[in-house]
Amino acid sequence: MRVLLKDILDCPPDAAWRALRSPAVFREVSSPVVSVESRGADGFPTVWEPGEHPVGLNALGLVPMGEQVIRLTMETTRKDGVRILRDTGRGVSGALASVTLWDHRMAVAPDPAGTGKTLFRDQLIFRTGALTLAGWPVFWALWQWRMRQLKRLAPTWQLDLGVDLPADLLAEADASATADADAVSRVTE
């Protein structure tokens, strides 16, 4: 089965991309419907990296749903500027172990209307054997909640110089800041 959502987020694409790679944002957009705890030895990283990340999930923070492995890959080199975060993880225990296929892709691109905002696409393809059809309304409702949370949070996402800017733009920003500082010091001497 498939759940597919598309909307415009009120933030620049670089800020949206950074937010998608944040475990804190992942937890916030899922909350309070699903609470997520890291099962990794060092807890959640500051920024998701490609690879496997074990987690435990609870419905409404109370009912254990089981454990799953989030398996992330990132595609950032497309010529059209689209960046994709993909999770092809798997359920390990509890109700999550019934999920036999999990392919979740989130894509970030500049708004085609040229607003400076982000075109966000979110697709989940899943299978749970005989329960797939029954599971679709649950996943659909959860994805609606997540999109609502993403839209609510997006205007608060800011760029972080040095993290979000490509190296060439960062070098230009550093050169400009150094020139400004030199000019100020000459004036104050």
Side-chain angles (χ1 to χ4, degrees), residues 43-62:
F44 283 113
T46 303
V47 176
W48 291 119
E49 294 293 337
E52 294 192 351
H53 306 275
V55 296
L57 286 83
N58 293 302
L60 302 172
L62 303 170

Side-chain angles (χ1 to χ4, degrees), residues 135-181:
W136 186 85
V138 174
F139 285 115
W140 182 87
L142 180 57
W143 256 239
Q144 297 299 316
W145 174 258
R146 291 177 73 249
M147 182 62 84
R148 182 176 171 204
Q149 293 288 79
L150 286 165
K151 287 185 63 87
R152 180 182 66 81
L153 293 169
T156 69
W157 296 334
Q158 302 296 319
L159 293 178
D160 186 1
L161 290 178
V163 174
D164 299 308
L165 287 180
D168 56 338
L169 292 178
L170 182 58
E172 287 178 29
D174 285 344
S176 177
T178 301
D180 290 346

Side-chain angles (χ1 to χ4, degrees), residues 79-128:
K79 291 180 182 177
D80 59 4
V82 175
R83 291 171 274 186
I84 300 171
L85 180 63
R86 183 177 185 192
D87 173 15
T88 56
R90 67 190 185 291
V92 176
S93 68
L96 298 173
S98 69
V99 178
T100 59
L101 171 68
W102 185 265
D103 188 354
H104 180 206
R105 298 175 196 213
M106 293 176 284
V108 168
D111 177 9
T115 64
K117 297 178 182 181
T118 299
L119 173 61
F120 178 74
R121 290 169 285 192
D122 193 354
Q123 173 180 268
L124 171 65
I125 298 173
F126 71 94
R127 228 179 277 131
T128 57

Side-chain angles (χ1 to χ4, degrees), residues 2-27:
R2 182 171 90 151
V3 177
L4 178 62
L5 300 174
K6 179 171 97 171
D7 213 327
I8 300 296
L9 299 179
D10 189 9
C11 66
D14 287 336
W17 179 246
R18 181 165 185 209
L20 288 184
R21 294 179 302 136
S22 167
V25 170
F26 165 62
R27 293 177 76 197

